């Protein structure tokens, strides 16, 4: 299973990278806005740090605008993946960009049929948002199960990025379902590594070590 990191913060990316946990990066306009820096400059810096797919999202809502933004973003690096919102205009943009061999990640997926349409349009990745569904008392992980099953039924190449991850259980369930990728906020990544019994065990070993040396 691949781990992407869901952040536009280069310090977080550096630290997660040092742990060997970054197979790719996803950003979105909200994450970019939090950094208070130039969009393309941040994306270029991320590309210099990570050798894997880096998602950068378009702002336009019409096909023509999305395609033109995508072409500019794709010039930054070969690893750029264009994040396109799941709309009718977005699907048209995905089709055009796929024909130009520009990779796409169809984002804001909340139903299995949206994921099916994105795959049929040629998307390289889709991003079902589990946390935002959970927030509305819908089982976000059920969506992931259905998307993975549909893609397997028809042997689509589109990879499933589980997005809007809020806790370690989301990552565990994604792995059990067999989702290709989880895009994980840095705060959740750190929680995955932690266990109180590990800390307790380290302390006990060190205490015993010190006692024996007295
Ligand atoms: C995915 O690509 C998005 O950037 C992200 O996972 C959205 O997460 P949120 O629902 O916590 O904003």
């Amino acid at each position: 299973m691949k781990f992407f990191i869901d952040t536009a913060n280069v310090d977080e990316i550096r630290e997660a990278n040092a742990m060997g946990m970054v197979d790719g990066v996803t950003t979105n306009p909200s994450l970019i806005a939090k950094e208070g820096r130039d969009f393309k400059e941040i994306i270029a810096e991320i590309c210099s740090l990570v050798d894997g797919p880096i998602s950068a999202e378009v702002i336009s809502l019409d096909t023509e605008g999305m395609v033109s933004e995508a072409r500019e973003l794709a010039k930054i690096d070969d690893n750029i993946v264009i994040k396109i919102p799941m709309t009718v205009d977005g699907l048209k943009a995905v089709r055009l960009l796929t024909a130009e061999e520009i990779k796409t990640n169809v984002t804001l997926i909340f139903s299995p049929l949206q994921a099916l349409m994105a795959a049929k349009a040629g998307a390289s990745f889709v991003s079902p948002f589990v946390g935002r569904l959970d927030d509305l008392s819908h089982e976000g992980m059920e969506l992931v199960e259905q998307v993975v099953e549909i893609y397997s039924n028809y042997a689509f190449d589109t990879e499933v990025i589980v997005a809007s991850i809020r806790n370690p259980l989301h990552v565990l369930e994604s792995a059990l379902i067999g989702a290709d990728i989880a895009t994980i906020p840095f705060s959740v990544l750190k929680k995955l590594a932690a266990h109180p019994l590990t800390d307790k065990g380290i302390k006990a070993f060190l205490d015993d070590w010190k006692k024996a040396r007295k």
Side-chain angles (χ1 to χ4, degrees):
M1 182 192 204
K2 284 174 269 187
F3 278 10
F4 287 6
I5 183 156
D6 194 29
T7 184
N9 183 286
V10 290
D11 293 331
E12 291 184 348
I13 293 169
R14 272 198 196 93
E15 199 174 336
N17 220 3
M19 291 158 64
M21 292 298 137
V22 185
D23 300 308
V25 179
T26 52
T27 66
N28 65 39
S30 305
L31 293 171
I32 296 281
K34 268 205 322 205
E35 297 307 307
R37 294 174 53 197
D38 177 71
F39 177 31
K40 287 185 184 167
E41 184 189 294
I42 296 180
I43 295 295
E45 189 172 351
I46 295 174
C47 290
S48 74
L49 298 173
V50 176
D51 187 17
I54 313 295
S55 286
E57 189 159 342
V58 296
I59 306 299
S60 300
L61 296 177
D62 61 299
T63 303
E64 199 183 325
M66 288 182 199
V67 169
S68 124
E69 275 185 64
R71 286 181 184 140
E72 284 308 304
L73 289 168
K75 284 182 195 160
I76 297 175
D77 195 278
D78 288 346
N79 278 331
I80 292 291
V81 174
I82 306 301
K83 234 174 165 186
I84 303 274
M86 175 58 218
T87 59
V88 168
D89 273 67
L91 290 173
K92 293 178 191 169
V94 168
R95 192 169 150 266
L96 293 169
L97 293 169
T98 303
E100 293 180 25
E101 295 185 354
I102 294 176
K103 290 197 169 149
T104 53
N105 169 4
V106 177
T107 188
L108 292 163
I109 294 277
F110 293 98
S111 89
L113 292 173
Q114 288 182 318
L116 176 57
M117 292 179 88
K120 283 178 70 64
S124 322
F125 301 91
V126 287
S127 293
F129 275 41
V130 295
R132 294 191 194 187
L133 280 170
D134 288 355
D135 290 345
L136 297 181
S137 307
H138 285 264
E139 278 286 347
M141 293 313 301
E142 265 178 22
L143 168 62
V144 176
E145 270 170 6
Q146 290 173 335
V147 176
V148 167
E149 187 177 340
I150 290 169
Y151 285 7
S152 155
N153 287 347
Y154 297 101
F156 281 113
D157 290 334
T158 308
E159 290 186 78
V160 178
I161 305 178
V162 181
S164 188
I165 280 182
R166 303 273 163 82
N167 56 57
L169 265 186
H170 280 148
V171 181
L172 173 62
E173 288 166 10
S174 303
L176 290 171
I177 290 167
D180 302 287
I181 301 148
T183 189
I184 310 172
F186 186 60
S187 57
V188 175
L189 188 71
K190 281 192 293 187
K191 286 184 190 164
L192 298 186
H195 198 290
L197 288 180
T198 306
D199 298 339
K200 198 176 163 191
I202 292 171
K203 186 176 179 313
F205 286 152
L206 291 181
D207 288 349
D208 290 343
W209 182 260
K210 279 181 208 152
K211 269 186 237 154
R213 304 209 140 227
K214 272 185 186 160

